[in-house]
Amino acid sequence: MSAVLKSPSDADTSALESVTPAAETDGFHLVIDALKLNGIDTIFGVPGIPITDLTRMAQAEGMRVISFRHEQHAGNAAAAAGFLTQKPGICLTVSAPGFLNGLTALANATTNCFPMILISGSSEREIVDLQQGDYEEMDQLAIAKPLCKAAFRVLHAQDIGVGIARAIRAALSGRPGGVYLDLPAKLFSQTMDAAAGAASLIKVVDPAPRQIPAPDTVARALDMLKGAKRPLIILGKGAAYAQADADVRALVENSGIPYLPMSMAKGLLPDTHPQSAAAARSYVLAEADVVVLVGARLNWLLSHGKGKTWGAERGAKQFIQIDIAPTEIDSNVAIGAPLIGDIGSCVSALVAGMNSGPKGWAKPPAEWTGAIAERRDKNLTKMAATLALNPSPMNFHSALGAIREIVKANPEAIVVNEGANTLDFARSIVDMYQPRKRLDVGTWGIMGIGMGFSVAAAVVTGKPVIAIEGDSAFGFSGMEIETICRYKLPVCVVVFNNNGIYRGTDVNGSGGEDVAPTVFVKDARYELMMQAFGGEGCTATTPAELSAAMNAAIASGKPTLINAVIDQTAGTESGRITSLNPSAGKKK
């Protein structure tokens, strides 16, 4: 327990000469001790008023404090750390503008179900409530509440233990998400008896208890699957977060059912697994008759479970959905067999039920699995032919073909991926072989996660990180390469440089001197940014150069940025979600 000593007053000196001064502690140390008590050893953030000393003290007390250049990226790092570790990632910010910068990451963490706690210093309540104009005055708690799972404010030092315990439990329990913890400046300097302070701290016990599905719901799901002619399993990032890898594999392999991984679930089983239907995605979504959703939601990424994507003209499908939140069920279409509970418990219950019959579990009809295999092999053959081409300049396929082989040779590396076309093509080209090795833009499709996610992945796993970045996406967080260099992290950033957003060929419709809104500085030298901070920077114009540079980066473990120059005509407007970008309703 950290403590500070209280000195007696002059008036009491003579009376207390033989008495040992009572040990006291303060708000700074209570926050640190409460986090450490709960196994939290890393903080991501940006120092400043009123939390600068908190970062210094935390580091002095043995915590790792990763200081960023912008709070949003620190928040993204905390969110990614939460996903990878199943412990709430901590983002620490200053008040008002710093808090607002972190709020985007907090909202994104909540949307993606990543456990994260945003801790922000704030102005004094008395002045804020009367709107008297304090330094960076803002009612941060009120602003945060609609954007996260829970929000708490601590006003007294003796309540710090409770506040942090409640934040941890809220972030981890049920469906994980973001939590806001408001710590006014006055709180940090408050003192109390050290022994009482230690007693006030809470070690959270079982913050995410198993939630066992009801036996009748398991039986209902199995009965539905038994009647399926064209069953399909969809694995979402919730399945990856659950770390129930053996149970998920058993469900897929014992049942023989084809599976489709969402992007951050890639690697739960190797993408080269014979039951993977990823290369026949359109076919299986349209043709399946019973679909098992494992930690996946029927949101826009799955066309809300209806319409042409799902073969609506063939009639309604039946869905089995595994989710810890009963409110998710029926959110878009009817779910015939909801399985409510944690993913590990639900999946293991299904596996046990499949193995309990005297004759075992009947595999899906060969007609279904054969049709999938035929389309998968056809599409993979077509993809292989495209990847074998070597155009000059490089395009997305040839550059990603080189990265694909690097990841295959280094399956332990964590891939971070963002962009439009860069994201879309990488998701289908770069195979993953181990769970939780792919981090990307997630449910919101938000840009700017790249460097924050990369820092977190390197810090909490110690593994090499490959960040595959569109040049536009990289711009959102590119300054954090200084952070990567400062902490000497094994991150290799590959910037796909095609001179603009989507591509670099747009023109100014007015004929004026300004470039088009989607066009960047031509032939930008992104690699010089990394060199400026002491990292390695180079340019690659061919797949061979890209492979050589990436191999060198992974072997050295040094911060590296590769400026991968690709054809500026490559790419399509908005990537694969062009339909979401409205076009003009009126023609001139």
Side-chain angles (χ1 to χ4, degrees):
M1 177 70 186
S2 307
V4 294
L5 294 179
K6 177 182 178 182
S7 300
S9 67
D10 291 340
D12 296 331
T13 300
S14 59
L16 299 177
E17 283 179 347
S18 62
V19 178
T20 302
E24 288 198 340
T25 189
D26 59 22
F28 285 113
H29 292 92
L30 287 168
V31 170
I32 294 164
D33 291 339
L35 292 173
K36 291 175 66 176
L37 180 65
N38 284 283
I40 294 173
D41 56 12
T42 304
I43 294 173
F44 305 94
V46 178
I49 297 172
I51 49 88
T52 308
D53 276 353
L54 181 61
T55 62
R56 294 189 182 111
M57 294 177 189
Q59 189 178 59
E61 292 288 334
M63 298 189 76
R64 192 162 192 199
V65 180
I66 307 297
S67 179
F68 280 72
R69 304 299 289 264
H70 192 283
E71 293 89 353
Q72 182 174 322
H73 313 313
N76 283 329
F83 172 76
L84 291 169
T85 66
Q86 290 188 322
K87 295 192 300 185
I90 305 298
C91 176
L92 182 63
T93 81
V94 303
S95 52
F99 154 77
L100 290 174
N101 287 342
L103 201 55
T104 297
L106 182 69
N108 191 46
T110 304
T111 301
N112 280 291
C113 308
F114 297 163
M116 167 193 169
I117 302 173
L118 174 65
I119 301 177
S120 295
S122 64
S123 298
E124 303 312 329
R125 294 305 315 156
E126 303 93 321
I127 301 177
V128 171
D129 289 345
L130 285 173
Q131 300 177 22
Q132 293 179 313
D134 200 6
Y135 171 72
E136 294 188 349
E137 176 185 301
M138 179 176 287
D139 190 352
Q140 296 168 196
L141 188 75
I143 293 169
K145 278 184 177 180
L147 300 173
C148 56
K149 276 190 71 180
F152 306 100
R153 177 183 290 126
V154 181
L155 296 177
H156 305 291
Q158 62 265 31
D159 295 327
I160 287 173
V162 171
I164 288 179
R166 295 203 69 188
I168 290 171
R169 193 172 292 278
L172 292 175
S173 63
R175 174 172 286 171
V179 175
Y180 175 62
L181 188 61
D182 190 272
L183 304 182
K186 277 186 182 178
L187 177 72
F188 296 113
S189 59
Q190 289 180 24
T191 60
M192 64 182 296
D193 178 80
S200 72
L201 303 183
I202 296 173
K203 182 175 177 59
V204 179
V205 177
D206 200 11
R210 294 179 65 198
Q211 295 189 27
I212 312 299
D216 60 314
T217 65
V218 177
R220 182 189 301 121
L222 290 171
D223 285 343
M224 185 178 288
L225 266 181
K226 286 176 184 176
K229 300 298 183 185
R230 299 181 302 280
L232 175 68
I233 295 171
I234 297 181
L235 303 175
K237 64 177 176 292
Y241 171 80
Q243 298 192 18
D245 306 339
D247 289 326
V248 170
R249 178 183 282 271
L251 173 65
V252 171
E253 294 183 341
N254 291 7
S255 69
I257 298 173
Y259 73 95
L260 180 67
M262 302 299 286
S263 62
M264 286 179 62
K266 286 165 64 70
L268 270 173
L269 289 86
D271 282 337
T272 52
H273 194 283
Q275 286 173 248
S276 173
R281 184 180 193 274
S282 297
Y283 176 75
V284 294
L285 290 180
E287 297 294 333
D289 61 353
V290 176
V291 179
V292 185
L293 299 163
V294 184
R297 293 174 283 182
L298 289 174
N299 54 27
W300 70 277
L301 290 165
L302 284 170
S303 301
H304 305 286
K306 50 195 171 185
K308 183 178 180 181
T309 298
W310 288 88
E313 68 279 4
R314 297 169 180 78
K317 299 182 186 300
Q318 292 183 300
F319 288 96
I320 299 165
Q321 184 165 9
I322 298 174
D323 204 290
I324 203 164
T327 52
E328 179 62 32
I329 306 304
D330 305 325
S331 59
N332 276 294
V333 298
I335 303 298
L339 267 181
I340 306 303
D342 68 278
I343 286 172
S345 296
C346 291
V347 171
S348 63
L350 287 178
V351 172
M354 289 177 174
N355 295 337
S356 64
K359 298 181 180 179
W361 186 262
K363 304 293 184 182
E367 182 182 1
W368 171 236
T369 56
I372 294 172
E374 179 183 350
R375 285 163 176 81
R376 180 191 64 217
D377 294 346
K378 179 180 178 181
N379 290 337
L380 289 176
T381 299
K382 183 178 178 181
M383 174 71 76
T386 301
L387 296 179
L389 299 175
N390 190 14
S392 181
M394 289 191 294
N395 59 19
F396 288 101
H397 285 87
S398 59
L400 286 167
I403 295 176
R404 169 190 172 103
E405 296 305 312
I406 296 293
V407 174
K408 183 178 181 180
N410 299 275
E412 79 287 352
I414 297 175
V415 171
V416 176
N417 186 204
E418 64 176 334
N421 294 279
T422 307
L423 173 74
D424 297 340
F425 287 119
R427 190 159 34 201
S428 59
I429 292 173
V430 178
D431 288 333
M432 306 306 299
Y433 303 90
Q434 297 178 14
R436 290 169 297 283
K437 297 299 185 183
R438 179 182 167 84
L439 304 172
D440 66 27
V441 301
T443 304
W444 258 2
I446 188 172
M447 296 295 105
I449 52 87
M451 297 304 98
F453 278 19
S454 296
V455 169
V459 166
V460 304
T461 72
K463 300 296 184 182
V465 176
I466 300 169
I468 308 171
E469 299 276 310
D471 51 0
S472 174
F474 174 71
F476 285 84
S477 64
M479 191 64 186
E480 299 300 345
I481 61 173
E482 187 273 335
T483 306
I484 291 170
C485 289
R486 195 180 345 139
Y487 293 100
K488 300 179 175 61
L489 300 176
V491 177
C492 175
V493 182
V494 183
V495 178
F496 277 50
N497 183 2
N498 66 347
N499 293 330
I501 300 172
Y502 311 132
R503 53 183 175 267
T505 55
D506 279 4
V507 297
N508 184 336
S510 73
E513 292 184 1
D514 290 347
V515 298
T518 57
V519 172
F520 296 153
V521 169
K522 299 289 186 180
D523 305 319
R525 300 288 303 279
Y526 293 105
E527 77 281 4
L528 298 181
M529 294 175 62
M530 186 65 94
Q531 291 178 16
F533 297 119
E536 301 291 327
C538 62
T539 297
T541 59
T542 67
E545 290 176 353
L546 180 55
S547 294
M550 292 185 70
N551 278 321
I554 293 172
S556 72
K558 294 180 180 178
T560 302
L561 189 149
I562 303 168
N563 183 16
V565 180
I566 64 172
D567 187 350
Q568 71 170 359
T569 67
T572 59
E573 184 83 10
S574 302
R576 70 177 180 85
I577 55 174
T578 302
S579 60
L580 299 183
N581 200 12
S583 57
K586 179 181 179 181
K587 305 295 183 183
K588 286 189 175 181

